[in-house]
Amino acid sequence: MITHLGIVIPAHNEQDEILGCLDSVAQAGAQLPDGLAQSSTRILVVADACTDETVSRVADFAEQHPQVTILETTFKNVGSARNFAWNHFKQSAEADRDVNFDLTWIAFTDADSRVPTHWLTTHLAMAEAGSDCLVGTVSPRPDTGSAALIAKWHSHHTLLEDHPHVFGANLGIRGSYLNIIGGMPQLPLGEDAATVAAVLAAGGKRETHRHLPGSHLGPSGGTRGGRLQQLYAEPSLRPESAHSTSGRLRPSCSRQPRANREN
């Protein structure tokens, strides 16, 4: 069974969205089995180059939810932010000398997403069934944009069985494979698909079908500039490139071979 669970949420100026995301993740966490100790579950919010009230709002939430940790960075790069959280989680887990990264699972979502209550239990069920890489589905929230824009999104994302899409807002990776591939690619865009490709190249098993729980995307869709606008609007609204590689922790790598899986 999975013994260590990490939930990674990158956020860039998401003061209006982050609490809704955290509330939904906390509700999903409340459905976890008793066998997964609360001390072994970490929710890592990466406040990346935030200039609004994101950090203070997460800090207030964390006072009531001790499993939440804020990581402040200045990457302006979603891949770097996700990877920074993974390295932090890995370092913390390694303090447990008995940790087995093959029994560790990292679930990724976005700061403006809302996950369903069965999100984490489904991720764990698929992990325990042998999946190393879980690619779920997403759909825009009604307040994301105009009806025409949302319809256009759906016209480009036919989420059938074994759909080809990869969404960082609903992604799960076994910890041992994140070790094998050296963490998440530090890309400003497309880090989710690059991670899945690397896991598959390393021999990992991917699960992708329409019945995986969906995450509901908000206005920014986890990308700088906005997922819907990025796909369909002018180039000036597309994500910026990275220009910084520094990070610091508040408040509070190396590759390893895959361990033998034990239940």
Side-chain angles (χ1 to χ4, degrees):
M1 62 179 292
I2 295 298
T3 60
H4 291 76
L5 172 65
I7 300 99
V8 172
I9 308 170
H12 172 72
N13 288 343
E14 293 285 5
Q15 65 178 18
D16 296 329
E17 296 287 341
I18 187 62
L19 293 183
C21 174
L22 287 172
D23 279 335
S24 71
V25 171
Q27 291 177 33
Q31 309 303 313
L32 291 171
D34 294 336
L36 186 63
Q38 185 175 11
S39 61
S40 299
T41 301
R42 304 286 302 282
I43 301 172
L44 303 176
V45 179
V46 189
D48 187 29
C50 291
T51 58
D52 64 355
E53 297 300 317
T54 296
V55 171
S56 62
R57 295 187 184 189
V58 175
D60 290 343
F61 187 90
E63 288 184 1
Q64 304 300 320
H65 300 82
Q67 71 271 35
V68 175
T69 297
I70 310 169
L71 308 177
E72 289 187 62
T73 65
T74 58
F75 298 123
K76 295 187 179 179
N77 180 310
V78 66
S80 296
R82 293 190 201 273
N83 190 61
F84 189 78
W86 156 243
N87 283 331
H88 176 78
F89 180 88
K90 176 184 173 183
Q91 183 179 23
S92 298
E94 286 174 337
D96 179 356
R97 295 184 179 181
D98 295 326
V99 66
N100 179 347
F101 281 106
D102 214 34
L103 304 180
T104 295
W105 190 260
I106 307 298
F108 297 92
T109 191
D110 291 336
D112 65 342
S113 294
R114 307 291 183 265
V115 302
T117 55
H118 52 85
W119 185 60
L120 290 173
T121 54
T122 303
H123 269 251
L124 292 188
M126 301 300 285
E128 291 170 7
S131 176
D132 300 307
C133 175
L134 183 60
V135 182
T137 59
V138 301
S139 62
R141 298 196 332 245
D143 59 348
T144 297
S146 67
L149 191 61
I150 293 175
K152 192 169 186 179
W153 189 94
H154 281 290
S155 73
H156 285 74
H157 299 83
T158 304
L159 303 178
L160 300 176
E161 203 76 15
D162 296 321
H163 67 83
H165 310 292
V166 177
F167 303 104
N170 193 359
L171 179 65
I173 305 289
R174 192 175 297 277
S176 53
Y177 271 93
L178 280 172
N179 269 338
I180 290 170
I181 69 174
M184 294 198 81
Q186 297 182 52
L187 302 173
L189 186 65
E191 83 293 341
D192 42 11
T195 299
V196 171
V199 169
L200 295 180
K205 178 183 177 183
R206 166 178 167 160
E207 282 291 340
T208 308
H209 55 75
R210 62 180 175 177
H211 300 299
L212 297 180
S215 175
H216 301 285
L217 297 175
S220 61
T223 65
R224 297 175 59 79
R227 177 64 54 84
L228 295 183
Q229 292 88 345
Q230 171 204 326
L231 288 174
Y232 305 122
E234 65 270 21
S236 62
L237 293 178
R238 295 188 178 181
E240 299 176 18
S241 298
H243 61 76
S244 175
T245 56
S246 63
R248 59 190 177 91
L249 305 185
R250 174 189 171 158
S252 253
C253 286
S254 60
R255 298 190 184 187
Q256 295 182 2
R258 183 180 182 187
N260 292 326
R261 189 171 304 169
E262 299 175 0
N263 294 319

